[in-house]
Amino acid sequence: AEPPDGGWGWVVMLAAMWCNGSVFGIQNSCGVLFVSMLQLFGGANDTQLAFKTAWVSSLSMGMIFFCSPIVSVFTDLFGCRKVAVIGAAVGFVGLLSSSFVSTIEPLYFTYGVLFACGCSFAYQPSLVVLGYYFKKRLGLVNGIVTAGSSLFTVSLPFLLRVLIDSVGLYNTLRVLCVLMLVLFLAGFTYKPLAPNAKDKDDGKKGKFRFPPGKKIFNFSVFKVTSYRIWAFGIPAALFGYFVPYVHLMKHVKDRFGDSVPEEVLLLCLGITSGIGRLVFGRVADYIPGAKKVYLQVASFFFIGLMSMMIPLCHVFGALIAVCLFMGLFDGCFICIMAPIAFELVGAQDVSQAIGFLLGLMSVPMTVGPPIAGLLRDHLGTYDVAFYLAGVPPLIGGAILCFIPWVHERQKLKERPKTVDGETTEKMLESESTFVSDTAEKPVK
């Protein structure tokens, strides 16, 4: 059935926007929670405190992406509603249990694994279900939904700071559970309009059957050379990507003390990230084919450069300028991932292609911040950590530069095969026509 491009779809869009905002709003505000965890769990003789604490936020963000290939399979098998509702429930349990720990180690599981896995299972269906309700306006709707994370990233750090100062970290985590409770209820709005034939057959038979393994995990996308470069080039660029989100708040406290409102930096990141998603998403529509990758190359170049400039900023205003640029190109990087995937592998394989990419992204995004924390513990400053965090985006951007050239060569190689195939088909058709004609003559 044709998507209605409206109606109940607007309710689904708001639910998906809440999901995007609450999941990534909490993740992007982890710098505020990080500072509070250092104060709460820190000991005078603990020389690896920043390293240990950074693993909490890193595991959380990494697990959201690590689970993506699995979530895409579960969404295909059980539908958006069931996966989203169960995911939100698991995320609620993980966040609530995080508010009862007395040491940092249990948070690795409750916040870093349980809460993050729940978020992952709640988040991905919120993007898939939009295709049931929108076609002509799908680009606009996706822009609004992904802007939800920017909206929450802008407002949540200030709310968290007020809550932590007034009621402490544990009660703040319990207040955040309200976001997950609303997310749980929002999942019930994800009702596909046109159930597929498989669901109807399963309903008649009264039992569930797993499809063949090849249909569950579509590894054929890795046969596309340009996709392989993209799928390994982006993770290579992301080793330093999440470092500013985790450590920037602590760096500002070390350098400027309590004299500046460090949450303003997350505000700047959130505002310009939202603007970047809207602006560069529209710009990408005018760039043909795989050349859209050059936008990601530019975004990685500026993100790496801005990360290296953070230690050079001895005035708070300069840090604000750096965060404004960083947020703008962060939005650019995120908003054109799906269009590039469509160009490289086609619409049929795009869901699994994005799932595999997000899974590969989980490793560098998890490892980067703890390494930065380890450098801070040993050197007493974040300067070297931020310098090193800017190197992987530059290397990854250089790797991505080859994709348009490789993709064009692929298309040129495939064209002769297509032409030969069509010629052979025509020859076989004409031959079969000739045979049938000669066979019919004696009958007449």
Side-chain angles (χ1 to χ4, degrees):
E2 186 74 14
D5 275 287
W8 184 252
W10 296 117
V11 178
V12 174
M13 184 200 74
L14 291 174
M17 185 179 178
W18 180 272
C19 175
N20 203 292
S22 56
V23 169
F24 288 104
I26 294 173
Q27 296 295 335
N28 293 342
S29 304
C30 63
V32 179
L33 297 175
F34 177 74
V35 173
S36 181
M37 288 175 191
L38 286 175
Q39 294 170 348
L40 184 64
F41 300 115
N45 300 321
D46 197 342
T47 58
Q48 293 190 326
L49 184 59
F51 172 71
K52 292 178 181 177
T53 310
W55 273 110
V56 177
S57 301
S58 286
L59 274 173
S60 185
M61 180 60 90
M63 286 301 295
I64 288 178
F65 292 105
F66 182 75
C67 292
S68 292
I70 302 165
V71 177
S72 63
V73 171
F74 274 86
T75 303
D76 289 343
L77 293 177
F78 301 108
C80 295
R81 177 187 278 184
K82 290 178 182 176
V83 174
V85 167
I86 292 171
V90 172
F92 177 87
V93 171
L95 197 57
L96 185 64
S97 57
S98 298
S99 67
F100 293 100
V101 302
S102 55
T103 58
I104 195 75
E105 285 77 13
L107 283 174
Y108 297 152
F109 175 72
T110 59
Y111 188 92
V113 177
L114 198 60
F115 169 62
C117 286
C119 285
S120 185
F121 275 75
Y123 165 68
Q124 203 154 319
S126 73
L127 299 181
V128 175
V129 76
L130 295 174
Y132 288 112
Y133 287 90
F134 296 94
K135 186 176 182 181
K136 294 175 184 176
R137 298 172 178 162
L138 187 58
L140 169 67
V141 169
N142 268 298
I144 294 171
V145 167
T146 54
S149 64
S150 298
L151 187 64
F152 275 65
T153 302
V154 166
S155 54
L156 210 52
F158 294 96
L159 176 63
L160 290 177
R161 173 53 55 206
V162 171
L163 286 171
I164 288 171
D165 290 341
S166 56
V167 298
L169 177 64
Y170 292 138
N171 286 322
T172 299
L173 292 174
R174 289 163 196 156
V175 171
L176 287 177
C177 288
V178 175
L179 300 182
M180 302 308 295
L181 181 61
V182 175
L183 185 57
F184 173 78
L185 298 174
F188 286 101
T189 66
Y190 299 165
K191 184 178 180 182
L193 293 177
N196 56 36
K198 180 182 73 65
D199 294 335
K200 290 178 182 176
D201 293 340
D202 291 338
K204 288 175 185 175
K205 292 174 186 175
K207 59 182 180 180
F208 174 78
R209 286 186 178 181
F210 272 90
K214 288 182 180 179
K215 290 188 177 180
I216 295 177
F217 291 106
N218 182 17
F219 291 108
S220 63
V221 293
F222 287 100
K223 293 178 181 177
V224 181
T225 308
S226 54
Y227 174 77
R228 280 206 307 270
I229 298 171
W230 192 57
F232 291 102
I234 285 184
L238 293 180
F239 275 98
Y241 180 84
F242 198 45
V243 169
Y245 285 97
V246 176
H247 294 288
L248 188 57
M249 300 295 100
K250 178 61 177 168
H251 170 72
V252 173
K253 269 198 173 300
D254 289 347
R255 178 159 290 186
F256 300 102
D258 296 323
S259 60
V260 294
E262 64 267 20
E263 292 84 8
V264 170
L265 299 178
L266 289 179
L267 173 70
C268 296
L269 282 169
I271 290 174
T272 51
S273 180
I275 294 170
R277 292 172 198 210
L278 297 173
V279 172
F280 287 105
R282 187 61 179 154
V283 170
D285 291 335
Y286 296 101
I287 299 176
K291 290 182 180 177
K292 291 179 176 68
V293 170
Y294 290 130
L295 282 177
Q296 282 193 328
V297 172
S299 66
F300 280 138
F301 174 78
F302 279 100
I303 287 171
L305 194 62
M306 292 300 108
S307 182
M308 289 177 167
M309 289 186 69
I310 289 172
L312 302 175
C313 296
H314 297 282
V315 180
F316 188 66
L319 266 181
I320 289 176
V322 165
C323 288
L324 288 172
F325 276 102
M326 190 176 283
L328 188 68
F329 288 99
D330 165 75
C332 173
F333 161 66
I334 290 169
C335 74
I336 59 172
M337 284 183 67
I340 291 172
F342 272 102
E343 293 291 344
L344 298 183
V345 301
Q348 188 176 356
D349 299 324
V350 73
S351 176
Q352 295 266 340
I354 292 175
F356 286 132
L357 176 67
L358 295 177
L360 290 168
M361 284 166 56
S362 66
V363 177
M365 293 186 79
T366 304
V367 171
I371 292 174
L374 191 64
L375 289 169
R376 162 68 178 79
D377 289 331
H378 282 281
L379 302 175
T381 175
Y382 279 112
D383 289 1
V384 174
F386 282 119
Y387 286 135
L388 292 177
V391 174
L394 299 178
I395 295 172
I399 294 171
L400 298 185
C401 284
F402 294 99
I403 290 175
W405 177 72
V406 171
H407 192 64
E408 284 302 316
R409 288 196 63 178
Q410 265 183 332
K411 287 166 76 175
L412 288 172
K413 282 182 182 178
E414 287 169 5
R415 263 179 215 158
K417 291 180 184 177
T418 309
V419 172
D420 292 344
E422 287 174 358
T423 308
T424 308
E425 266 182 44
K426 286 176 182 176
M427 288 174 69
L428 288 170
E429 281 175 14
S430 61
E431 191 178 330
S432 63
T433 307
F434 174 76
V435 170
S436 62
D437 287 345
T438 53
E440 284 173 8
K441 279 178 184 175
V443 176
K444 289 175 184 176

